[in-house]
Amino acid sequence: MTVKALKAPLTDEDVLQLRAGDNVLISGVIYTGRDAAHKKLVDLLEAGKPLPVDLRGQMIYYVGPAPAKPGKVIGSAGPTTSGRMDAYTPALLALGLKACIGKGSRSQEVKDALVRCKGLYLAATGGAAALLAKTVSKAEVVAYPELGAEAIYRLEVADFPATVVNDAFGGDVYEAGRRQYCIAE
Amino acid sequence: MREIKVAEISKAVFMLFLDANYDLGEDVLASLQAALQVEPSPTGRNVLEQLIVNAEIARDEQVPMCQDTGYAVVFAELGQDVRVVGGDFYAAVNEGVRQAYIDGFLRKSIVADPLNRVNTGDNTPAVIHVEIVPGDKIRLIVAPKGGGSENMSAVRMLKPADGAKGVMDFVVDTVSRAGSNPCPPVVVGVGIGGTMEKVALIAKKALLRKLGEPHPDSFYAGMERDLLEKINKLGIGPQGYGGRTTALAVHIETYPAHIASLPAAVNINCHASRHKERVL
């Protein structure tokens, strides 16, 4: 299995060199956000107000980490189901967000927006939260501390493992992988 | 009457939730190791390897294996010759949950109202199922349940004429539609029979069985094998990237049914299939 290094934040060139099914190790800065934070961001957008974080070029990781034990940077931090963010994602991609990381399939609207805006959807291993937390060297809340685990964190990560699910060309590893390994009855 | 103090119940619940979140069951670990030997997809094998390493980290560092430390589901078999003293049984269970989720650095994932959605801050209340049984002991089983897999679960009121095939089609279809969402490889709990609420409960109870231990009735043991084979032919694979390890096990529980009904329920669990028990 080949693995590519990916430096975050991303450029269009970074996005366009990757294809569905590629395995990557992400290093750099990523932001967290899940249901409640997405709703707040999109409410601001609709009201024509500025966002608390400049999302251009950034990756959003759908995660609500467990509390950090004393001496740890972050608690266990695996991906949550991405489909719940489908309603919000196209608006953020249009704003310049380059990628999101979660688990599980996306709507056709999100896949179309990834093609239109040159974006990526990646998945990390759901349930591998203790392993994924070890790739995080720094975590700080940058918006909505009142949301607790759902606040927006800025994370510094090194070699965070993920797989490209949907690329900027319409590729989908969930569909392709299933076709490859399905045994018809 | 044997007396059991509520403090003992709280302490046991506390310890069990820590253990269930930090320590992947040996049966699950053995099942992941076995899957790693036969999974043909390289990406699928990589996922299985990550899950095995993740379990080691969680156990060594005493941290939760998954950030979704779940809804606190508790099954209590209360011996009818036990007298619970010193307080309220349900409050004692909730106190154990509160301590585990606060002191154990587990995520608080419960909102007090399903529509107004304000977090309760301590992961209470638990969902508590109590059954009165003969004897003078209390058996406590805790099963923290993640939202991602619970959301992919389903109940259907089939017609008796749908028969075994109707049930099997429903189960396979539910797992197929869930796809990559519930963190496959999954464990599938199937309830057949009873009423609408009973069938959901026995599907959840099916998840408490030791992984891969067959149903005692050979007819249902055969159906479990057939279902596992059909599900693993779907091609979903570890995390949905494609592969042959979509489910680690299928467990069926049944209950007598009304002459007009064939209820069926599918409760999907993620690979971790967290549950721990203790007898007081």
Side-chain angles (χ1 to χ4, degrees):
Chain A
M1 200 187 80
T2 57
V3 182
K4 295 178 180 175
L6 191 61
K7 182 97 176 65
L10 306 181
T11 62
D12 281 358
E13 290 68 43
D14 294 328
V15 170
L16 296 174
Q17 57 138 356
L18 290 168
R19 295 292 183 278
D22 283 353
N23 293 293
V24 298
L25 290 172
I26 301 163
S27 299
V29 172
I30 63 176
Y31 289 90
T32 73
R34 47 172 289 159
D35 311 48
H38 272 76
K39 180 164 188 344
K40 281 180 178 274
L41 292 177
V42 172
D43 284 349
L44 285 176
L45 276 184
E46 285 172 358
K49 292 181 180 160
L51 302 189
V53 184
D54 183 356
L55 290 175
R56 284 173 296 178
Q58 303 297 339
M59 307 181 87
I60 291 185
Y61 179 26
Y62 302 146
V63 59
K69 275 194 160 182
K72 299 241 183 212
V73 172
I74 196 169
S76 298
T80 194
T81 309
S82 307
R84 296 195 315 273
M85 268 54 78
D86 281 352
Y88 309 116
T89 302
L92 299 181
L93 287 166
L95 208 66
L97 177 75
K98 278 289 125 193
C100 23
I101 310 166
K103 57 137 176 140
S105 55
R106 306 308 301 262
S107 66
Q108 193 56 48
E109 289 73 19
V110 171
K111 294 182 203 176
D112 292 345
L114 291 169
V115 174
R116 198 166 57 237
C117 306
K118 298 191 180 69
L120 294 172
Y121 169 54
L122 304 97
T125 299
L131 177 144
L132 291 165
K134 283 185 113 44
T135 69
V136 180
S137 59
K138 194 174 173 195
E140 54 177 343
V141 175
V142 292
Y144 312 133
E146 70 278 11
L147 296 181
E150 292 205 58
I152 298 183
Y153 286 73
R154 178 184 181 275
L155 303 182
E156 289 180 20
V157 298
D159 293 339
F160 178 101
T163 300
V164 179
V165 174
N166 296 111
D167 59 30
F169 307 95
D172 185 324
V173 75
Y174 291 146
E175 288 172 9
R178 194 162 169 167
R179 267 198 308 276
Q180 186 181 348
Y181 289 98
C182 164
I183 300 170
E185 292 235 294
Chain B
M1 292 291 266
R2 180 171 165 243
E3 291 193 347
I4 296 181
K5 295 193 182 77
V6 287
E8 275 182 73
I9 295 167
S10 296
K11 190 169 177 214
V13 168
F14 166 75
M15 297 296 291
L16 285 167
F17 272 106
L18 295 190
D19 204 21
N21 276 296
Y22 296 167
D23 190 5
L24 190 69
E26 288 299 334
D27 53 340
V28 178
L29 210 48
S31 181
L32 290 172
Q33 300 276 10
L36 187 57
Q37 301 308 311
V38 296
E39 175 54 58
S41 154
T43 303
R45 284 198 301 276
N46 182 49
V47 167
L48 296 170
E49 281 167 0
Q50 283 188 13
L51 293 175
I52 292 165
V53 173
N54 184 69
E56 287 166 5
I57 295 170
R59 188 179 301 180
D60 290 351
E61 300 188 6
Q62 294 284 286
V63 294
M65 61 188 87
C66 180
Q67 80 291 337
D68 186 351
T69 50
Y71 211 127
V73 179
V74 178
F75 287 88
E77 292 174 11
L78 187 60
Q80 63 188 17
D81 298 325
V82 172
R83 204 159 80 89
V84 175
V85 296
D88 177 308
F89 173 81
Y90 290 91
V93 171
N94 279 316
E95 183 54 28
V97 170
R98 182 177 298 116
Q99 286 173 14
Y101 280 75
I102 291 175
D103 299 347
F105 298 92
L106 306 180
R107 199 182 73 184
K108 292 80 180 168
S109 310
I110 303 305
V111 292
D113 180 279
L115 293 179
N116 295 319
R117 306 196 77 81
V118 178
N119 199 297
T120 62
D122 59 7
N123 218 56
T124 66
V127 168
I128 306 170
H129 303 288
V130 180
E131 206 176 320
I132 309 292
V133 298
D136 64 355
K137 294 184 167 53
I138 299 177
R139 183 177 175 219
L140 292 167
I141 308 169
V142 311
K145 186 67 170 69
S149 57
E150 194 72 355
N151 287 345
M152 296 295 117
S153 302
V155 173
R156 188 168 298 170
M157 305 304 282
L158 296 165
K159 296 182 180 72
D162 294 328
K165 184 178 182 301
V167 172
M168 290 182 71
D169 288 348
F170 168 56
V171 175
V172 175
D173 183 53
T174 302
V175 176
S176 175
R177 282 198 229 201
S180 53
N181 288 321
C183 298
V186 294
V187 177
V188 185
V190 179
I192 311 172
T195 49
M196 193 193 73
E197 87 285 7
K198 183 70 179 179
V199 78
L201 186 60
I202 61 177
K204 175 134 286 153
K205 271 193 162 178
L207 296 173
L208 305 176
R209 201 191 301 160
K210 189 178 167 193
L211 215 61
E213 192 179 276
H215 193 284
D217 180 315
S218 65
F219 174 78
Y220 287 107
M223 194 186 267
E224 288 174 344
R225 277 197 306 275
D226 291 348
L227 279 169
L228 184 61
E229 197 183 315
K230 280 177 187 288
I231 288 168
N232 284 332
K233 282 182 179 172
L234 291 172
I236 295 169
Q239 294 294 316
Y241 301 138
R244 299 271 159 72
T245 317
T246 301
L248 297 175
V250 178
H251 295 165
I252 296 173
E253 291 292 322
T254 64
Y255 201 78
H258 190 279
I259 50 172
S261 304
L262 178 55
V266 182
N267 197 192
I268 298 182
N269 212 348
C270 64
H271 85 278
S273 189
R274 295 171 294 195
H275 58 95
K276 297 280 175 176
E277 67 171 86
R278 198 177 146 195
V279 176
L280 295 178

